[in-house]
Amino acid sequence: MIARTLASLALFASVSTPALAQAVADQPPAPAAEEQKQQAPVKPGPTPEQMRLLATAAAMSQSVFAKDFYMTVGLGAGMVPSYEGSDQYVFFPAPIIQGSYKGYNFAARGPGLFVDLVKDPVLPKVEFIAGPMFRVRPERNNRIRDAVVKRLGDFPIALELGASGGVKINRIFGRFDSMTFTTDALFDVTGVHSGAIVTPQVSYNRLLGTKGVVNVSASADFVDGDYANTYFSVDAAGSAASGLPRFRADGGLKSLQTSVLLGLDLSGNALDGGWGVFALASYSRLQGDFADSPIVSIRGDANQYFGGVGVTYTF
């Protein structure tokens, strides 16, 4: 749950740069300029669409996002369950890194990184997403608050490698919104859980002019039996140590999640970079064996919540 939530902390670096430039170019002219335009004699010249594209190009050329390299860094913090399925919450700092190098975008994915290897043309209707990713998983590592669950023992931090792919469709209901469909696939390469996690996600992104962005997303996590057994089963030794009943968790749909993100640029113009702020809230519900596991049904809660705020800086 935490990884998918923190993946939403993309803010302005994650929205389409051409869309931001259009937001500047589409600002209505000042009254005086409009009056002069009406009084001037009619002469052959560029069409309104050509003028809009010229204004867009001019806005983009002056944008921080027009550079070969730009980055958004920041720090968010919030309260998260002390382990997946817990009903006790802990403070969780979350660093944010996102940017682009010569057209190749990269972004933090929870405690990890994704690189998009597909370069898309300017002002596309459809953008394609594909590239490698990795993440570390500190699940059940050292933040367990529940004394009974803690007796089951800590796990080492897992390293997962994989890829993400999908498609982003721009201009759904207007010029400044988009819908993105992606799927992440990750595999543990350290032998901690030796499992696989597949996460399909759909998100809707809406620019608030150049001042901010709203993002709403929904996702699901599917895991295999190795992952389920590692983090949600209770074996004979664990039952003796904790007093919880023995339980064997099978793979399948682990959880469903929805989240809402609001980001605001403090200067009112995201194209010039600088400081921004965000607020994020999400809800996740564990499913099937994962909700029935004793660490959840007896000691925790299948309903999982996350809330956080933070600041960013784009340069």
Side-chain angles (χ1 to χ4, degrees):
M1 182 195 89
I2 296 172
R4 296 309 308 170
T5 300
L6 297 180
S8 300
L9 302 182
L11 300 175
F12 293 101
S14 69
V15 302
S16 170
T17 301
L20 284 170
Q22 282 189 20
V24 173
D26 285 356
Q27 294 296 319
E34 184 65 27
E35 184 178 348
Q36 291 177 1
K37 177 180 174 183
Q38 293 175 357
Q39 294 175 355
V42 177
K43 296 180 181 179
T47 66
E49 180 65 14
Q50 289 172 330
M51 290 296 294
R52 184 185 66 77
L53 291 175
L54 288 172
T56 298
M60 289 178 64
S61 68
Q62 300 174 15
S63 165
V64 65
F65 302 108
K67 300 186 298 183
D68 283 343
F69 172 75
Y70 63 84
M71 181 180 289
T72 296
V73 296
L75 182 65
M79 301 299 292
V80 299
S82 68
Y83 63 86
E84 191 168 22
S86 174
D87 60 358
Q88 297 175 312
Y89 287 73
V90 297
F91 176 80
F92 188 85
I96 300 165
I97 300 174
Q98 181 142 349
S100 179
Y101 178 71
K102 293 187 177 181
Y104 295 105
N105 299 323
F106 57 89
R109 288 288 185 93
L113 186 69
F114 166 70
V115 179
D116 186 0
L117 298 181
V118 179
K119 286 187 176 182
D120 294 296
V122 176
L123 301 178
K125 173 65 175 179
V126 177
E127 299 178 42
F128 296 96
I129 302 165
M133 63 182 297
F134 79 88
R135 64 151 294 172
V136 295
R137 185 176 298 275
E139 180 64 22
R140 299 267 298 276
N141 179 249
N142 60 7
R143 299 180 305 151
I144 302 172
R145 288 285 186 87
D146 190 296
V148 173
V149 176
K150 194 171 183 62
R151 295 189 198 115
L152 295 174
D154 294 339
F155 290 98
I157 295 175
L159 173 63
E160 299 164 351
L161 301 181
S164 180
V167 62
K168 177 181 178 183
I169 304 173
N170 296 307
R171 301 184 292 280
I172 302 295
F173 302 110
R175 288 183 177 177
F176 312 123
D177 67 346
S178 63
M179 187 165 287
T180 303
F181 303 86
T182 59
T183 298
D184 298 347
L186 289 165
F187 307 88
D188 174 30
V189 296
T190 53
V192 175
H193 62 77
S194 302
I197 307 98
V198 176
T199 304
Q201 180 180 38
V202 57
S203 64
Y204 176 77
N205 201 82
R206 175 77 183 184
L207 291 181
L208 307 175
T210 60
K211 298 179 181 179
V213 61
V214 174
N215 182 280
V216 180
S217 66
S219 64
D221 280 333
F222 295 88
V223 302
D224 66 4
D226 290 329
Y227 182 102
N229 186 49
T230 300
Y231 294 119
F232 289 89
S233 291
V234 179
D235 60 15
S239 178
S242 66
L244 294 173
R246 295 177 62 177
F247 183 83
R248 173 77 182 195
D250 292 325
L253 174 61
K254 177 174 70 70
S255 61
L256 297 171
Q257 177 177 312
T258 183
S259 64
V260 178
L261 166 73
L262 172 64
L264 296 174
D265 184 88
L266 293 183
S267 74
N269 179 14
L271 286 170
D272 64 7
W275 293 98
V277 295
F278 67 85
L280 174 70
S282 76
Y283 166 74
S284 178
R285 171 80 184 186
L286 292 169
Q287 306 290 313
D289 279 1
F290 307 95
D292 294 337
S293 169
I295 70 169
V296 179
S297 61
I298 297 176
R299 302 303 305 179
D301 191 343
N303 299 299
Q304 303 280 277
Y305 302 92
F306 174 90
V309 295
V311 297
T312 62
Y313 185 78
T314 300
F315 58 93

